[in-house]
Each structure stands twice: as structure tokens, then as C-alpha cells.
């Protein structure tokens, strides 16, 4: 096949692949890709074909150079090819492969020299290749032809850069011997992405096409324009050889004869040619494999350690043993009970760090969500006063009352108490939903027994639903009890005698409560314009009178203070571009809230945070927009209803009495609701699971059927045992491989400053004088006096050693092109000064 050097690595890699395939894993060696970069007609495709050992790329029209060809070589027992765009179709004739590449290129780019960055993906299976990826990239061109765009050069450069910027990509910088090496686009691109020269190899092609009397000896000896990994010369097949169907094996033999017979190259013939190029790449691949082995060994050892305990449990496992099923059923139910109690009561193990769940979520419902729902039920001040005034007038009827009627107080209080039913029932619903979620989370450990899991969830959920109706009845009973008797002798009730003083005391307390902090936390102001910096996060402090925000939580640098007068809250629809949840504050009198903004949009990380902040704002007297809507509907009636001073005093008295009594009721309900739900729901469900779940499962049907394991569990058990054994074998195989590889050291740095000057651009070579002529056996003489022996050459920015053996000192002269024309031999002719 012509790539025997590659076959030396095949047994080594095959052992690694066997080690991983035996446990069903991919051998993720991440072997380097090999990209062939160069100008048009530089011989890139021929280098690639010699490397593969097959003649399969299109010729003549340069079709393949119009799209990248990603060639994946896969070691297999037979030889065939597959295209990604022709899945399932095998190509055994490589002439058909060439035709398919041409057709696929024309399909995307057209038949008139168009280009496309969309690669053609080809897989070649063969017993003579190693698993790695080769890339044939479009040749760099300067002038567009046919349908090619005017910026064809830039497009091709960007296309090439997509591949060679990867750290695992080896770059073969191909330059024809009959062009100027100092102006090589391939070397310039390689320098841009690999300034240290760690993965760049220079390849000189067309050595057999140089003019008679010229050679590239200085370049191939890495003396003229040095690279860290040096240059390798190759001789590809000519167009005549290709047309004559000369196979690659014969071409490689002709290449070998050329180097051994040429006077300028015979002394380094063993370091030239395609076999040498393959050997250099093999050394790089071997180094990569050796560097990767420690990570593989650690990965396998950690997997083996993780499976030890589980594999020990599965050894001697008998799925159909009745005694095992009974024992396991008891263990599963007991574990379910323990997990449920831990999730409700809290535990230090298996803590969820992503979101609240179980008991923590229920606690938040009790002490944040439920109070929030209660606060939402509070009526607006104007609406309350309107209702009280109507109640007083309707109670007096046609008469003009002299005293404040207590019946108006009772009517208003009962109406407010009835409103508490909705948030109380909603609280029960939220707790029930969380209990059901907790049951489902705890039952995940039963998934290996599907029937047991399904039956357990059904029994416990049915019991929760049964307790739901009782809990709701009890909660509604609490409200009815509050309605049955208005206790005006309660010790916290202010009474009629103190009601008149309450208004002045309230005003004083409100003024003193201005500094009382209701809530602190981080919020993002979402509607700051991009010109002013965009959305920013600040530390917010909410008091009874204002909303302030600071630069940080130290509260030293205050950014703004917003009074809460005439402010309302409304929701803002979440943007598909944002992950945050938003609400906004606005002024009911259509005034600017913050600087030039009519609204202040505030963003939180979760909807729970939004609800919590809205609850805090409600406590501060900032109501949702829907309350404002009710107010607007009744504004006209309220404004048109005039009250005399006596009626106003009565309304104020009733208002203070209602506030005092509803504070007592709310305090009682907020205390009794969590206790009622805990007793009738949560504790009852825990006792049911501990005491009755097992009996319910036994009465539900055949317990042996409940303990039938799932097909996935059976596969899991077999996989664990097989993987555990295979991991031991894989570690032994890797141990044998690691001792059989030898690291090839990296060549020392060289002076490669000729590739690029300051600013990342290549410094153009000095204009050479007329080419010197010399015989094929002579060496070019330097201009001026030669440097002293062993003097180090000039160091570039990528040379770390002044005594680098690969950077010999050279005279200060412009780099000539490789083909130096020479006249007929003249041994006495001297080099021009």
C-alpha cells in the first residue's frame, strides 16, 4: 500500500481500542488531525494520497480544492469507503470515490470554479491505516476565476484557519521547490497559528521539476530558512504518471531512486521522501498516545473503584428467589419511608443544591407565600372607606344617626374575614402539590421495580387526596368559627373608646416607621438604556416610606431613594432573550418614577423572588395594578359622594376598628394554618407511610409480581458485572502498552523570525541581486566575510536557545528563492561580493 510506516502503530492502537471497546466505550485518543496546507498546484493532494496509500482524489480541474475534504481513516479487516452524505452506501472502487467527490463538489459549488466552506466527509476503512483524520484543504489563490468571489483569497484563508487553529492539528506546510520559500503562504499561515513551531512540518514538493543546475539542498538541510521541525522533500507523481495509472507503490520506489541518485540529496536520502514524512508523523502520534495513557489509566481506575461495591452486590444475585423478593420489598418500603421523612424534616445527606424541595418548600409556603396571599386580600383605603360610609347610611336608613353603629363594624369585618377563605384554600393546594412531588422524588429509587413504584405512588397519592378534603374542611371551619362570633373584648382590640385616638397615633407610628426596614436584597434595574451602561444590579432597601438602592450591600454609596407615594406594581412579560423574571413599579399619576423613566423595571432570578418582593411591597402599601383598576372604576362614585364631618368621624372610627380586629384575625389564621396542615396532612401522611403502606402493598396483589425487576435493571446488572471485569483487563492491557512506547524529544527552537516581522506581518525579503550561477556540486558562497566558526545565528522571538544546533549562523543576506539558476559548471568562478 505504500504506507508501511503507518502500520507500525496499528497494533499499539488496536490494543487500546480493544481495551475500551470491551467495555462499550469509545477509544477517545483524540489523535491529531493532519492538515495539508499550500498554494494551488503545490502538490497537496499527492502528498495526501501518498500518505493514505490510495489514488482517489480528483485531478486536472482542481475540483477537490474548492471544498475541504475531511478524510477519516478507520482500521478494519476489509477495505471500502463511505460518504457522510451517502449513508449506508459502500464504495469498494476508489475510482467511484473520485467521481462522487466531483459530483458532490459540483452540487454545492456549481461547475464553474465556485468554492464552499462546507466540507466533504469521507471515511476509508482499511486494514492498512491507522485511526486518524486527514484534511485536504483548498489551495490558496490570489485571483478569482469563474464564479469565484472577488475576496476568494480571504475566504480560503478563513476556511483554512478553521482547521489549523486546533491544537491537535498537525500542519504540513507544502511549498513547491520552484517557488520562493520566503513568500510561502502555507508557512505564513502556519506561523500565525503555531508561532513556536511545535506542530508545523515543512514539505518541499516538485524537487524533480527544478531547473537543471539548481537544487534545494540548503532548505532541506534547514540552513537557509529554518523551521523547528525542519523540512522533508517529496517527489510526487507527474501528470503523465497519473494519466498512465502509475500506482503509488511504484511512485514511492521512483521517489527513493531519485533521492539516492541525485548528487545534492544522496547524503540525506534517508531523511527525505514520503516514508520519512510518515515516520515523523508516527513519532508525533506515538508521543501523543503516550501522553494520553496516564489520563486513561486514571479514568479506568476511578470507574473500577466506583463499580466495586455495586458489582459485589450483584455477584450471586438470583432474581427469581422468593425469599429475596420478600426481603427486598421490606427494604424498599423502609427506604421509601426514611427518604420521605428526610425530605420533609430535613437531612444533611443528599441535599438538593439547585432548588427548594420537600420541607423547605413547604416552610416557604407557610411563611412567605401564604402571608403574601393574605396581604393581597387587603382592600384599598378609598374602597374601604366607601364601603363603610354606605354601610353606615344603609343601617341608619331614613333616620340621621347620632352614634356610630356597631352593626356597620360587624358587616365590614365579616366581609373581610370571608375573603380569607381563598388564600387559605390556596395554601392547602400548594402544600398538597409539594407533598405529591416529594412522593415522586422518593420513589425514583424504586424505578428498578416498575410495578412497585407505580403501586406505591398510587397508594400514597390517593391517601394525600383523601386527606385534602378533610384539611380543606377544617380550614374553612376555622374561617366559619371566626365569622360566628366577633370578639370585641379581645385584649388586643382597641375598642370604641380608643378608636378616635387611633388615627393620630397611627399617623405618628407611620412617621416613626419610616425607618423600619421591611426587606433588603439584590435586584437588577432592567430599563437603563445601553447608552448609560445597560441593566445593572444594585442592593435594594425597602422601608415603610421609600425604596432605596445602593452600589453594594455595604450601603455606603446610595444611588437613589424613591418615595412610595402613589406607586403601584404590575407584572412584566418575560423576554425570550432574558433568563430573569421582571416586575415594574409605576406612578398612578403618570409621573416619572426614576429620572426620565415612567416605570422602574426590576428583575429577579426566579419567580419566587418576584412574588416575595411583591409581598414585601404590599406590606409597604404598594399594591398591584389590579387594585388600581378597581379604584379607577369607583373613583367617580367616591368623589361624587360627599360626607359631612360627622359621617367622616364615624367612618374613621369604623376604619380603625376594622384594622384592629382584622390584625387579630390575620395573626390567628397565620398561626393556625401551618399547625392545621401539619396535623391533618403532613404528619398524617408520614404515619400512613410508616404504618400502613406495606400492608396496602400486600393487599394490592401478588407481592412477587410487584418485585419483578425492569428490563433496564437486568441489563444494568449484567452491564455492571461485565464492565467491572473488562475494566480490570483494560488496565492490564494499558499497562503493557505504556511500557512499550518510547518518547521522541521535541527538536530545539530555531530562528524563525524570517517568517514574520513586527505586527504579525511577514517582513518582505530584501531584493536579491542577479541570481548567482554555480554547478550542481558547488555550494553557494556568502556575500561578504563568513562568520566565525560556532558563532550562534541571529535569534528570533521564538528561539529560546542561542546555541540551537538547528539554527546555524548564516550571513546577513536576503533569502533567495529555492530555484537558483546556475550556468554550466565553472569550478574557478567566485561568488560576487
Amino acid at each position: 500500500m505504500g504506507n508501511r510506516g503507518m502500520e507500525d502503530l496499528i497494533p499499539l492502537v488496536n490494543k487500546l481500542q480493544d481495551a475500551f471497546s470491551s467495555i462499550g466505550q469509545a477509544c477517545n485518543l483524540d489523535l491529531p488531525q493532519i492538515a495539508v496546507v499550500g498554494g494551488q498546484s503545490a502538490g497537496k493532494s499527492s502528498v495526501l494520497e501518498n500518505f493514505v496509500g490510495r489514488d482517489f482524489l480528483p485531478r486536472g480541474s482542481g475540483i477537490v480544492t474548492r471544498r475541504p475534504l475531511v478524510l477519516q481513516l478507520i482500521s478494519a479487516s476489509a477495505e471500502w469507503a463511505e460518504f457522510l452524505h451517502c449513508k449506508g452506501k459502500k464504495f469498494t472502487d476508489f475510482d467511484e470515490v473520485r467521481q462522487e467527490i466531483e459530483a458532490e463538489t459540483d452540487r454545492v459549488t456549481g461547475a464553474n470554479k465556485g468554492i464552499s466552506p462546507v466540507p466533504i466527509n469521507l471515511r476509508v476503512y482499511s486494514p492498512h491505516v491507522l485511526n486518524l483524520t486527514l484534511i485536504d484543504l483548498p489551495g490558496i489563490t490570489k485571483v478569482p476565476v469563474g464564479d469565484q468571489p472577488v475576496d476568494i483569497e480571504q475566504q480560503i484563508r478563513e476556511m483554512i484557519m478553521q482547521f489549523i487553529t486546533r491544537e491537535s492539528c498537525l500542519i504540513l506546510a507544502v511549498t513547491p521547490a520552484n517557488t520562493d520559500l520566503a513568500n510561502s503562504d502555507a508557512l505564513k499561515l502556519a506561523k500565525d497559528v503555531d508561532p513556536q513551531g511545535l506542530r508545523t512540518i515543512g514539505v518541499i514538493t516538485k524537487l524533480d521539476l527544478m531547473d537543471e543546475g539548481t537544487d534545494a539542498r540548503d532548505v532541506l538541510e534547514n540552513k537557509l530558512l529554518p523551521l523547528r521541525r525542519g523540512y522533508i522533500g517529496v517527489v510526487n507523481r507527474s501528470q503523465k504518471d497519473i494519466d498512465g495509472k502509475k500506482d503509488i507503490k511504484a511512485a514511492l520506489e521512483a521517489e527513493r531512486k531519485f533521492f539516492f541518485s541525485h548528487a545534492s540529496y544522496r547524503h540525506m536520502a534517508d531523511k527525505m521522501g514520503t516514508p520519512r514524512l510518515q515516520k515523523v508523523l508516527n513519532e508525533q502520534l506515538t508521543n501523543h498516545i503516550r501522553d494520553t495513557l496516564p489520563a486513561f489509566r486514571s479514568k479506568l481506575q476511578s470507574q473500577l473503584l466506583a463499580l466495586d461495591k455495586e458489582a459485589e452486590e450483584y455477584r450471586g444475585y438470583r432474581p427469581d428467589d422468593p425469599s429475596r423478593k420478600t426481603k427486598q420489598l421490606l427494604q424498599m418500603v423502609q427506604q421509601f419511608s426514611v427518604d420521605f421523612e428526610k425530605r420533609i424534616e430535613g437531612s444533611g445527606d443528599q441535599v438538593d443544591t439547585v432548588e427548594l424541595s420537600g420541607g423547605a418548600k413547604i416552610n416557604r409556603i407557610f411563611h412567605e407565600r401564604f402571608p403574601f396571599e393574605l396581604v393581597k386580600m387587603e382592600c384599598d383605603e378609598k374602597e374601604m372607606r366607601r364601603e363603610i360610609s354606605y354601610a353606615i347610611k344603609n343601617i341608619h336608613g331614613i333616620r340621621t344617626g347620632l352614634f356610630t353603629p356597631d352593626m356597620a363594624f360587624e358587616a365590614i369585618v365579616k366581609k373581610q374575614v370571608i375573603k380569607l377563605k381563598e388564600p387559605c384554600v390556596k395554601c392547602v393546594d400548594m402544600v398538597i402539590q409539594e407533598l405529591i412531588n416529594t412522593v415522586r422524588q422518593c420513589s425514583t429509587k424504586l424505578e428498578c421495580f416498575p410495578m412497585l413504584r407505580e403501586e406505591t405512588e398510587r397508594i400514597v397519592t390517593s391517601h394525600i387526596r383523601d386527606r385534602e378534603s378533610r384539611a380543606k374542611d377544617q380550614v374553612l371551619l376555622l374561617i366559619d368559627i371566626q365569622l360566628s362570633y366577633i370578639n370585641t373584648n379581645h385584649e388586643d382590640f382597641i375598642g370604641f373608646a380608643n378608636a378616635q385616638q387611633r388615627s393620630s397615633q397611627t399617623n405618628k407610628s407611620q412617621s416613626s416607621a419610616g425607618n423600619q426596614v421591611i426587606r433588603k436584597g439584590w435586584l437588577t434595574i432592567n430599563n437603563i438604556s445601553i447608552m448609560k451602561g445597560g441593566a445593572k444590579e444594585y442592593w435594594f432597601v425597602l422601608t415603610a416610606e421609600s425604596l432605596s438602592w445602593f452600589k453594594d450591600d455595604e450601603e455606603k454609596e446610595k444611588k437613589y431613594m424613591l418615595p412610595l407615594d402613589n406607586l403601584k406594581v404590575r407584572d412584566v412579560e418575560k423576554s425570550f432573550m432574558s433568563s430573569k423574571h421582571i416586575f415594574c413599579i409605576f406612578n398612578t399619576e403618570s409621573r416619572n418614577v426614576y429620572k426620565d423613566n415612567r416605570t422602574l423595571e426590576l428583575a429577579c432570578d426566579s419567580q419566587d423572588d418576584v412574588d416575595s418582593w411583591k409581598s414585601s411591597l404590599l406590606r409597604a402599601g404598594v399594591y398591584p395594578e389590579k387594585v388600581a383598576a378597581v379604584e379607577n372604576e369607583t373613583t367617580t362614585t367616591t368623589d361624587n359622594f360627599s360626607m359631612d364631618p360627622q359621617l367622616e368621624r364615624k367612618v374613621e372610627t369604623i376604619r380603625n376598628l376594622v384594622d384592629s380586629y382584622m390584625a387579630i384575625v390575620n395573626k390567628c389564621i397565620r398561626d393556625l394554618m401551618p399547625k392545621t396542615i401539619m396535623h391533618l396532612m403532613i404528619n398524617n401522611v408520614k404515619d400512613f407511610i410508616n404504618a400502613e403502606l406495606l400492608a396496602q402493598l400486600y393487599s394490592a396483589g401478588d407481592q412477587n409480581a410487584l418485585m419483578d425487576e425492569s428490563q433496564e435493571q437486568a441489563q444494568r446488572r449484567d452491564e455492571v458485572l461485565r464492565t467491572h471485569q473488562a475494566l480490570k483487563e483494560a488496565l492490564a492491557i494499558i499497562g503493557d502498552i505504556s511500557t512499550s512506547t518510547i518518547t521522541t524529544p521535541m527538536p530545539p527552537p530555531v530562528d524563525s523570525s524570517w517568517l514574520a516581522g513586527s505586527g504579525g506581518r511577514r517582513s518582505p525579503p530584501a531584493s536579491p541581486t542577479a541570481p548567482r550561477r554555480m554547478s550542481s556540486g558547488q555550494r553557494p558562497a556568502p556575500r561578504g566575510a563568513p562568520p566565525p566558526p560556532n558563532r550562534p545565528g541571529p535569534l528570533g522571538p521564538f528561539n529560546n536557545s542561542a546555541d540551537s544546533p538547528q539554527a546555524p549562523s548564516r550571513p546577513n543576506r536576503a533569502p533567495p528563492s529555492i530555484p537558483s539558476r546556475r550556468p554550466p559548471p565553472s569550478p574557478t568562478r567566485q561568488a560576487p561580493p
Side-chain angles (χ1 to χ4, degrees):
M1 292 297 294
N3 59 345
R4 300 299 304 174
M6 289 289 295
E7 297 175 7
D8 295 338
L9 272 180
I10 292 177
L12 186 149
V13 178
N14 282 344
K15 286 185 179 181
L16 281 178
Q17 291 172 337
D18 291 342
F20 282 87
S21 62
S22 62
I23 58 175
Q25 297 183 7
C27 183
N28 188 22
L29 283 174
D30 190 25
L31 289 179
Q33 295 179 336
I34 302 168
V36 187
V37 182
Q40 282 192 337
S41 302
K44 305 183 307 301
S45 298
S46 296
V47 170
L48 189 64
E49 286 181 336
N50 290 346
F51 190 70
V52 177
R54 271 290 187 178
D55 184 7
F56 65 96
L57 295 177
R59 297 287 178 178
S61 60
I63 293 177
V64 75
T65 62
R66 294 187 284 135
R67 288 181 63 182
L69 175 67
V70 179
L71 174 62
Q72 293 177 285
L73 302 181
I74 301 175
S75 181
S77 57
E79 190 172 42
W80 77 92
E82 287 182 355
F83 287 94
L84 185 62
H85 62 273
C86 298
K87 291 183 177 179
K89 183 178 180 180
K90 293 185 178 181
F91 294 81
T92 56
D93 186 350
F94 281 80
D95 288 335
E96 295 182 3
V97 173
R98 182 187 304 109
Q99 295 170 5
E100 181 61 30
I101 292 175
E102 295 175 356
E104 176 64 13
T105 301
D106 288 343
R107 185 184 67 81
V108 175
T109 65
N112 195 20
K113 306 295 183 183
I115 66 168
S116 171
V118 180
I120 299 174
N121 290 272
L122 172 64
R123 288 183 176 180
V124 175
Y125 298 81
S126 173
H128 307 288
V129 299
L130 185 67
N131 286 2
L132 61 133
T133 302
L134 304 164
I135 307 170
D136 188 18
L137 295 169
I140 303 169
T141 184
K142 305 289 185 181
V143 181
V145 295
D147 292 336
Q148 294 178 348
V150 293
D151 61 340
I152 180 68
E153 180 181 6
Q154 182 63 26
Q155 288 191 23
I156 292 179
R157 285 180 181 272
E158 292 176 356
M159 198 183 306
I160 294 173
M161 295 292 280
Q162 292 178 3
F163 292 93
I164 65 175
T165 50
R166 301 169 186 168
E167 289 297 325
S168 62
C169 180
L170 293 179
I171 305 170
L172 299 187
V174 180
T175 304
N178 53 4
T179 62
D180 187 355
L181 183 67
N183 293 322
S184 170
D185 290 306
L187 290 173
K188 174 60 171 64
L189 287 174
K191 182 70 172 184
D192 290 341
V193 298
D194 181 33
Q196 301 292 337
L198 300 177
R199 51 191 179 92
T200 302
I201 300 174
V203 180
I204 306 299
T205 61
K206 301 187 180 182
L207 291 168
D208 55 331
L209 301 183
M210 294 184 70
D211 293 339
E212 185 178 354
T214 62
D215 60 51
R217 179 175 174 178
D218 276 6
V219 174
L220 294 177
E221 288 180 347
N222 208 29
K223 293 180 179 179
L224 182 58
L225 302 171
L227 288 176
R228 186 165 186 172
R229 290 187 176 272
Y231 297 87
I232 297 176
V234 297
V235 176
N236 299 325
R237 293 177 298 168
S238 65
Q239 189 62 45
K240 180 180 178 181
D241 294 334
I242 296 171
D243 295 339
K245 303 295 183 181
K246 183 177 181 179
D247 65 13
I248 294 179
K249 185 175 181 180
L252 293 177
E253 181 62 27
E255 179 188 52
R256 178 177 176 274
K257 290 182 179 179
F258 171 80
F259 284 113
F260 275 98
S261 62
H262 198 287
S264 298
Y265 309 132
R266 63 165 61 102
H267 68 287
M268 53 180 170
D270 58 336
K271 297 182 180 180
M272 295 292 114
T274 302
R276 172 64 179 176
L277 177 59
Q278 294 170 352
K279 181 180 179 182
V280 171
L281 292 174
N282 286 347
E283 291 174 352
Q284 179 68 16
L285 296 177
T286 305
N287 290 347
H288 182 85
I289 293 170
R290 182 178 177 87
D291 294 341
T292 309
L293 282 175
F296 275 126
R297 185 183 295 107
S298 299
K299 177 182 177 182
L300 290 179
Q301 288 174 340
S302 62
Q303 289 180 348
L304 183 65
L305 186 63
L307 290 178
D308 275 341
K309 183 178 180 180
E310 192 173 2
E312 188 65 29
E313 294 176 356
Y314 288 147
R315 288 194 180 95
Y317 183 86
R318 292 180 297 168
D320 297 328
D321 186 2
S323 61
R324 180 203 60 80
K325 288 186 176 182
T326 301
K327 180 181 178 181
Q328 200 160 21
L329 175 60
L330 294 174
Q331 291 175 343
M332 288 290 184
V333 173
Q334 184 179 9
Q335 185 63 45
F336 177 81
S337 176
V338 171
D339 289 345
F340 183 83
E341 187 163 356
K342 282 184 176 181
R343 284 187 175 272
I344 296 298
E345 300 295 338
S347 171
D349 58 340
Q350 301 178 357
V351 177
D352 189 351
T353 59
V354 178
E355 62 179 358
L356 292 179
S357 62
K361 188 75 170 287
I362 293 174
N363 178 274
R364 187 168 189 172
I365 292 172
F366 285 159
H367 302 294
E368 287 191 19
R369 294 299 302 276
F370 179 57
F372 171 63
E373 297 296 329
L374 288 179
V375 173
K376 284 202 303 184
M377 291 295 104
E378 292 184 3
C379 186
D380 183 73
E381 184 68 22
K382 292 181 180 180
E383 176 72 11
M384 174 71 75
R385 291 180 179 277
R386 184 185 66 84
E387 291 179 357
I388 294 174
S389 65
Y390 280 134
I392 293 174
K393 283 186 168 290
N394 287 331
I395 289 173
H396 286 310
I398 198 170
R399 299 181 303 276
T400 301
L402 298 176
F403 304 100
T404 303
D406 56 352
M407 294 177 61
F409 162 74
E410 289 195 10
I412 297 298
V413 165
K414 289 183 177 180
K415 185 176 180 179
Q416 295 299 311
V417 171
I418 290 175
K419 290 181 179 180
L420 298 180
K421 289 185 177 182
E422 181 182 346
C424 290
V425 171
K426 186 174 182 179
C427 178
V428 175
D429 289 335
M430 288 189 290
V431 172
I432 288 173
Q433 186 59 48
E434 187 55 36
L435 283 176
I436 293 176
N437 292 339
T438 303
V439 170
R440 290 173 180 168
Q441 291 170 351
C442 294
S443 67
T444 53
K445 291 186 177 180
L446 309 178
E447 61 185 358
C448 51
F449 303 103
M451 293 185 64
L452 176 62
R453 179 180 183 178
E454 181 181 350
E455 195 66 19
T456 300
E457 288 185 1
R458 183 190 66 80
I459 292 173
V460 178
T461 303
S462 298
H463 181 74
I464 291 175
R465 291 299 182 188
D466 178 63
R467 301 303 301 180
E468 174 187 4
S469 59
R470 299 187 185 184
K472 288 184 177 179
D473 290 343
Q474 183 65 30
V475 166
L476 295 177
L477 180 61
L478 291 176
I479 304 300
D480 291 339
I481 290 173
Q482 294 290 339
L483 290 171
S484 64
Y485 180 66
I486 306 300
N487 183 16
T488 56
N489 289 325
H490 193 282
E491 59 184 4
D492 294 333
F493 185 62
I494 61 173
F496 281 88
N498 300 323
Q500 293 292 341
Q501 300 175 353
R502 180 64 182 266
S503 59
S504 59
Q505 292 176 355
T506 302
N507 291 335
K508 292 180 181 179
S509 64
Q510 285 180 350
S511 62
S512 63
N515 295 326
Q516 180 184 356
V517 176
I518 297 176
R519 184 184 178 93
K520 294 182 180 182
W522 291 99
L523 286 174
T524 300
I525 300 181
N526 205 55
N527 58 334
I528 300 178
S529 65
I530 298 178
M531 298 295 293
K532 297 181 180 179
K536 291 183 181 179
E537 193 174 33
Y538 295 101
W539 178 258
F540 278 72
V541 177
L542 174 64
T543 67
E545 291 187 347
S546 66
L547 177 66
S548 306
W549 53 94
F550 300 81
K551 181 180 179 181
D552 51 41
D553 54 1
E554 294 181 0
E555 300 183 16
K556 293 181 179 180
E557 184 179 346
K558 180 181 287 189
K559 293 294 184 179
Y560 200 81
M561 186 179 75
L562 178 65
L564 299 183
D565 299 334
N566 300 320
L567 295 185
K568 300 290 181 184
V569 179
R570 67 165 170 248
D571 293 323
V572 177
E573 185 176 353
K574 180 181 176 183
S575 170
F576 74 96
M577 294 290 291
S578 173
S579 60
K580 290 184 175 293
H581 300 261
I582 306 173
F583 66 98
C584 80
I585 298 173
F586 66 97
N587 191 293
T588 56
E589 298 179 355
S590 300
R591 296 179 180 176
N592 291 342
V593 175
Y594 170 58
K595 295 185 177 179
D596 297 332
N597 299 306
R598 289 294 180 93
T599 63
L600 178 65
E601 292 186 3
L602 302 175
C604 302
D605 292 330
S606 67
Q607 186 60 42
D608 286 343
D609 291 338
V610 171
D611 294 339
S612 183
W613 271 102
K614 288 165 64 178
S615 174
S616 300
L617 287 168
L618 278 170
R619 289 171 56 195
V622 181
Y623 288 84
E625 185 179 22
K626 63 179 182 180
V627 177
V630 175
E631 175 188 333
N632 291 336
E633 294 175 2
T634 60
T635 298
T636 304
T637 306
T638 305
D639 292 342
N640 293 337
F641 186 84
S642 60
M643 290 190 294
D644 57 45
Q646 183 180 4
L647 179 59
E648 288 183 2
R649 287 194 297 271
K650 294 178 182 179
V651 169
E652 184 66 25
T653 301
I654 298 288
R655 179 72 182 91
N656 292 332
L657 292 172
V658 170
D659 278 349
S660 175
Y661 194 82
M662 286 307 300
I664 297 172
V665 173
N666 282 335
K667 182 179 180 180
C668 181
I669 294 297
R670 288 178 62 175
D671 179 63
L672 288 177
M673 276 294 296
K675 295 176 179 179
T676 303
I677 294 174
M678 280 296 298
H679 176 69
L680 295 178
M681 292 288 306
I682 300 173
N683 291 339
N684 184 274
V685 171
K686 286 195 299 182
D687 294 340
F688 173 81
I689 293 175
N690 287 328
E692 300 183 35
L693 176 59
L694 185 61
Q696 295 268 7
L697 287 171
Y698 270 101
S699 63
D702 184 9
Q703 63 269 25
N704 289 328
L706 290 176
M707 297 307 295
D708 288 340
E709 64 180 0
S710 64
Q711 184 178 0
E712 292 79 8
Q713 175 63 14
Q715 293 175 351
R716 166 68 181 170
R717 184 178 65 254
D718 295 340
E719 180 183 352
V720 167
L721 294 175
R722 181 175 56 85
T723 302
H724 189 267
Q725 181 61 30
L727 282 170
K728 293 182 178 179
E729 298 175 0
L731 284 170
I733 293 173
I734 289 182
D736 294 339
I737 293 175
S738 64
T739 59
S740 63
T741 57
I742 301 174
T743 300
T744 303
M746 172 68 67
V750 298
D751 175 19
S752 57
S753 58
W754 61 274
L755 275 172
S758 61
R761 296 185 177 179
R762 181 172 65 248
S763 298
S767 301
T769 59
R772 295 172 290 139
R773 300 180 180 274
M774 65 185 76
S775 65
S776 61
Q778 284 184 316
R779 305 293 298 126
R783 298 178 185 177
N790 300 325
R791 179 180 176 182
L795 300 181
F798 309 101
N799 188 359
N800 298 326
S801 173
D803 298 324
S804 171
Q806 299 219 12
S809 175
R810 300 201 55 82
N812 185 17
R813 57 175 176 136
S817 60
I818 296 175
S820 300
R821 295 189 175 275
R822 308 176 187 176
S826 177
T828 60
R829 185 183 179 99
Q830 300 294 325

